[in-house]
Amino acid sequence: MQFPGIHTALPALAVILASSSPAGGQQLFIFDTLTAGLLQDTGGAGFQARVRLIHTLTWSAACQFLHLVNPAPGQGDGHLTLSHQVKYRSSLSCASWLVAGADLDHELGIRYLLDSTFQASPDETRFDARLATTTGKGIQFNIQSTLATRLLPAYSRFTGPSGAPSVRLSSSFLTPLTWSFSAGVQSPIPFFGSLSLGLPAGRLTWMARDRVYEEQQSDLVNGVERGRKFRIDYGLSLQVLIDRKVGGSMRWTLDLRLFRAHPGLYGLDVRNAVTLRITSFLRATLQSRLGYDDTAGHTLRGENHASLVLSFDF
């Protein structure tokens, strides 16, 4: 007779400190894994369930120079940014067929534009949650949810009738708050990553502050009419995730998200990064981001980041 038991292991706890130049800064990385095996025997028909919980926490502070392609009004052509970033990842898996995960990304910085104007940017906090079950062929049926907002007010610049520069409030905390959700299937891309199709999918846009409408002198901001507070769009979503090692020293990561709503509303967010490890402690990184949203205008906007990172592992 075998009695129910539990076996646990704490195999890894790592701390990594990194600094970079010219996009210089520091990075703290903590990784923790908990694995538990549950054994039980019931009348000779036993089972074994394996539960694994993984946490990762990353903090970084950096100085970056950014060049913009087709910038939004008031952004300028480029800027110097001092920022910090917090990334938290959590994943809970049961046996090999059920996985639940949550990600929290927060980035906040002070931006100096070329015309000597300061802004609180970048400012983005995003929370992702997902629940997935896996079939024998690696195909997942999942439910995904993403909440995103900024923390501090943002202002757009314009030239007044007298020719003097002025600013207007364009966004703030929960203005807007976007919630994207979908249920669908995810299929692995051999040797690259995964492809997810959300059917159905939806997006809610919430505007908490009415002052934005007054400052922008418009009855429609981020696709939400004045007095309605929120807007919900339903449609299809597509997500492509790639994490590919090229050769022995280069890694390519891509996060592409496309949303198509009825009638004729499109949203696109592409985050791409290529990292080249030059030596065991030196790497170069090139990051780019493309964004398009019908509710915020009909222009495809892009950002490019380049940095040389000096890292040390302990």
Side-chain angles (χ1 to χ4, degrees), residues 36-197:
L38 303 179
L39 302 176
Q40 183 173 345
D41 190 323
T42 308
F47 70 88
Q48 179 174 349
R50 186 174 182 86
V51 179
R52 189 176 188 185
L53 177 63
I54 300 176
H55 296 280
T56 61
L57 176 65
T58 305
W59 175 83
S60 63
C63 173
Q64 294 181 336
F65 178 77
L66 176 67
H67 173 258
L68 299 178
V69 180
N70 292 328
Q75 281 189 310
D77 295 327
H79 50 250
L80 179 68
T81 302
L82 301 175
S83 65
H84 91 119
Q85 189 176 61
V86 178
K87 291 185 177 182
Y88 172 75
R89 303 285 185 268
S90 179
S91 176
L92 175 64
S93 59
C94 179
S96 60
W97 59 273
L98 183 63
V99 178
D103 301 337
L104 177 64
D105 294 298
H106 165 71
E107 186 175 11
L108 179 63
I110 300 299
R111 175 175 294 177
Y112 172 72
L113 294 115
L114 299 182
D115 60 357
S116 301
T117 300
F118 288 90
Q119 294 180 348
S121 181
D123 182 358
E124 182 183 28
T125 300
R126 189 172 69 177
F127 178 74
D128 294 288
R130 59 195 175 277
L131 179 65
T133 178
T134 306
T135 65
K137 297 183 179 180
I139 298 178
Q140 290 186 346
F141 297 91
N142 57 37
I143 300 174
Q144 300 187 63
S145 172
T146 300
L147 288 167
T149 186
R150 66 180 297 120
L151 297 182
L152 300 179
Y155 299 88
S156 59
R157 297 175 299 151
F158 71 100
T159 302
S162 63
S166 184
V167 296
R168 293 174 179 169
L169 180 68
S170 58
S171 60
S172 64
F173 180 60
L174 300 182
T175 308
L177 167 71
T178 60
W179 176 35
S180 303
F181 50 92
S182 65
V185 295
Q186 176 176 305
S187 175
I189 302 176
F191 309 108
F192 280 93
S194 62
L195 172 67
S196 298
L197 177 63

Side-chain angles (χ1 to χ4, degrees), residues 242-254:
I242 293 178
D243 188 351
R244 172 67 172 169
K245 190 173 182 180
V246 182
S249 59
M250 183 178 294
R251 181 173 292 274
W252 171 38
T253 59
L254 172 69

Side-chain angles (χ1 to χ4, degrees), residues 182-248:
S182 65
V185 295
Q186 176 176 305
S187 175
I189 302 176
F191 309 108
F192 280 93
S194 62
L195 172 67
S196 298
L197 177 63
L199 200 173
R203 184 177 65 183
L204 180 145
T205 305
W206 173 274
M207 300 288 289
R209 298 187 64 181
D210 293 333
R211 181 187 167 189
V212 173
Y213 297 94
E214 301 172 2
E215 294 278 342
Q216 296 294 315
Q217 300 179 5
S218 174
D219 292 329
L220 185 68
V221 178
N222 292 307
V224 182
E225 297 179 358
R226 186 200 297 259
R228 292 195 60 183
K229 286 295 186 180
F230 68 92
R231 168 178 175 164
I232 301 180
D233 299 292
Y234 297 99
L236 303 175
S237 69
L238 176 70
Q239 183 179 18
V240 178
L241 295 174
I242 293 178
D243 188 351
R244 172 67 172 169
K245 190 173 182 180
V246 182

